[in-house]
Amino acid sequence: MSVKAVSSSEVYPVLSYVALFLMAIVVFYAKGWFYLTGDIRAVVSSVPDDTAYFYKIAWNVVQGKGLTFDGINPTNGFQPLWLYVLLPLAWVMRDAAPEAYFRAALIYQT
């Protein structure tokens, strides 16, 4: 039985992937923790404006108001695939407070 020596050129790519994976976990944990426990004003100011637009349309769909942002006028200015991804979460959280839904949606998006 012979033992093959592992060269450094074979080890470095594996270590790079491990390092990237660990950094991704740290970033995910930090963002998730911030969205879960951070002051709501800081959380709201850290996300783009159009993020809440999609969350609100999904919320209105599960509340039975249809594809609308304001609950009155229909809208078609959204990405349907992203809305389909948000609908299960909005349905599960349909009776939750808006702040809890917003925080859960941000964590879900992360």
Side-chain angles (χ1 to χ4, degrees):
M1 173 175 16
S2 64
V3 176
K4 180 184 173 193
V6 177
S7 68
S8 62
S9 63
E10 294 174 354
V11 173
Y12 288 139
V14 173
L15 291 177
S16 297
Y17 291 130
V18 168
L20 285 173
F21 180 72
L22 291 175
M23 285 191 304
I25 288 174
V26 167
V27 168
F28 173 75
Y29 178 75
K31 291 290 270 187
W33 187 254
F34 171 67
Y35 290 151
L36 185 63
T37 63
D39 179 45
I40 192 64
R41 292 173 296 211
V43 171
V44 167
S45 66
S46 72
V47 296
D49 292 339
D50 60 345
T51 301
Y53 181 76
F54 287 99
Y55 297 163
K56 182 67 175 173
I57 293 172
W59 184 267
N60 283 335
V61 167
V62 300
Q63 298 295 330
K65 297 177 183 174
L67 294 172
T68 178
F69 174 74
D70 59 6
I72 301 168
N73 302 307
T75 186
N76 62 359
F78 59 88
Q79 170 44 267
L81 182 59
W82 181 232
L83 184 67
Y84 292 145
V85 170
L86 289 174
L87 284 176
L89 178 69
W91 185 79
V92 167
M93 303 221 33
R94 66 187 176 276
D95 296 326
E99 180 181 330
Y101 166 65
F102 182 68
R103 289 178 185 270
L106 287 172
I107 294 168
Y108 183 63
Q109 180 177 330
T110 302

